[in-house]
Amino acid sequence: MRPTWPHSALTLPFFLMDNAALLAKKGFAETLVWQKKDEFSPAHELLKTLTEDFDVKFYICASCVKHYGLDKAELIRGAEIKPGSFLGEMLLERQSLTF
């Protein structure tokens, strides 16, 4: 059974910048080894849940894609390359949280 958001019309977009852009590369999250066993869910499991169960969109900073040598063929499901100005648009259109 697919989980639902408390308000089904809500979407939860992520804008990945700098090192976080690497999370959009297929297979990268599985290589993260700094997480201690049983402390947190592994990053690759969280990404899988977000993409498969909640159909989350990941927007990737276009400049970061160039910097880290990522290309569209390598990206995870739900990932899309966008310019930094798109982040500004997202923040202006909705109540947002960034960190």
Side-chain angles (χ1 to χ4, degrees):
M1 185 161 112
R2 184 182 178 134
T4 58
W5 293 103
H7 305 284
S8 60
L10 292 178
T11 60
L12 181 63
F14 287 81
F15 193 90
L16 303 177
M17 301 183 321
D18 199 25
N19 302 28
L22 292 168
L23 290 171
K25 182 179 180 180
K26 275 190 181 177
F28 180 82
E30 289 81 357
T31 69
L32 297 177
V33 295
W34 52 266
Q35 290 179 295
K36 295 181 182 174
K37 186 178 181 186
D38 299 326
E39 283 192 7
F40 298 100
S41 298
H44 71 280
E45 289 179 14
L46 293 172
L47 286 175
K48 182 178 180 182
T49 297
L50 289 170
T51 56
E52 293 180 5
D53 295 342
F54 295 103
D55 202 26
V56 165
K57 292 291 287 179
F58 292 93
Y59 298 109
I60 319 318
C61 169
S63 297
C64 300
V65 168
K66 291 178 187 175
H67 178 74
Y68 290 105
L70 304 172
D71 63 13
K72 198 159 180 74
E74 299 179 302
L75 300 182
I76 61 173
R77 179 179 141 201
E80 187 177 338
I81 299 168
K82 293 286 189 177
S85 60
F86 183 76
L87 174 60
E89 292 172 17
M90 279 185 11
L91 293 172
L92 289 172
E93 288 176 1
R94 58 188 79 169
Q95 292 181 354
S96 300
L97 174 65
T98 61
F99 54 93

